[in-house]
Amino acid sequence: MEARVAAARTAVLAAEATYNSSRATFTRVIGSEPGKLTPGQPVDRFAPATLEAAIALART
């Protein structure tokens, strides 16, 4: 039982370290602290619908 508790505490500490590292990386890359984040939007709407449309777009 004590081994499970110790393993769980280790897992929590590892998760907290990962969280803090991720926040620091976000701040370094983006330049500000992460706030309330929202889900990203799909970018499919920007892609041509057909191969022919993609080729035409590339030629222009």
Side-chain angles (χ1 to χ4, degrees):
M1 181 69 163
E2 290 179 23
R4 288 184 186 174
V5 171
R9 286 184 179 149
T10 301
V12 168
L13 291 174
E16 287 175 349
T18 301
Y19 170 76
N20 290 329
S21 175
S22 296
R23 286 183 64 91
T25 300
F26 183 96
T27 301
R28 182 175 48 83
V29 171
I30 302 301
S32 63
E33 289 284 325
K36 184 176 181 181
L37 302 177
T38 58
Q41 299 295 320
V43 295
D44 295 351
R45 61 189 169 151
F46 298 116
T50 64
L51 176 60
E52 292 77 22
I55 292 171
L57 182 62
R59 288 186 175 153
T60 62

